[in-house]
Amino acid sequence: MTVMRHFGLAISATLAAAALAGCGSSTPAAPSPAAAPSSSAEASASTAPASQGAVHTVKLEVLGKGKNMQPIAYVAGSSGSVTDATLPWSKTEKVEMTAAEQRVGRLVSIVAGSVRADNGMLEAAKCRITVDGEKVADGEGMCKYTIKDQAAG
């Protein structure tokens, strides 16, 4: 009896899911991958994300000499922080942009922290961002830039 009850609940849930899947659509629902005959190559191609194309080389730099007195925080292809960095410091990453990011842009940034000046006082460290070999931002304390592909939008 218990097996039949669970089986009945499973069938009810399946039918309810099938009914809901068809709601709001004038086209018939696509068959499930288990029911549709296809080659494994076709299945892989349909589930694998398509390459969007735009890849940029981003170089983040904190300039100066000596040790950074506060952590360096960065966002590019990845994000993270570095403590007790010896200056000059740099990190180069490949940034792959989605189609949406190509249209609206993708922010890359670095918070450079502070360094000890020659007079012993702390001052904002100088930073620079280079994208594909071209300097796009420089400043003190924080540098940021929005990568946007002109052809995409």
Side-chain angles (χ1 to χ4, degrees):
M1 176 85 173
T2 304
V3 172
M4 291 301 284
R5 184 174 177 207
H6 288 292
F7 184 71
L9 290 174
I11 290 176
S12 297
T14 302
L15 291 174
L20 288 175
C23 289
S25 174
S26 62
T27 59
S32 70
S38 68
S39 71
S40 61
E42 289 173 332
S44 297
S46 66
T47 58
S51 174
Q52 301 300 324
V55 177
H56 297 281
T57 302
V58 176
K59 183 176 184 180
L60 306 168
E61 298 175 89
V62 177
L63 310 172
K65 59 184 178 183
K67 293 276 188 185
N68 217 44
M69 304 305 291
Q70 295 172 322
I72 297 168
Y74 62 89
V75 175
S78 65
S79 61
S81 64
V82 178
T83 56
D84 201 31
T86 300
L87 302 180
W89 174 91
S90 69
K91 181 168 188 66
T92 302
E93 294 192 336
K94 296 285 185 187
V95 175
E96 186 169 348
M97 296 174 61
T98 66
E101 288 172 328
Q102 290 175 50
R103 285 189 304 278
V104 299
R106 178 165 176 177
L107 181 67
V108 293
S109 64
I110 184 164
V111 177
S114 60
V115 294
R116 190 167 307 280
D118 291 336
N119 63 7
M121 301 292 288
L122 294 180
E123 64 183 19
K126 294 183 181 354
C127 54
R128 178 171 47 213
I129 299 175
T130 306
V131 176
D132 298 330
E134 180 182 338
K135 181 177 78 172
V136 294
D138 63 354
E140 294 182 2
M142 180 177 178
C143 292
K144 62 183 178 176
Y145 179 73
T146 301
I147 303 170
K148 184 174 179 184
D149 289 341
Q150 301 302 324

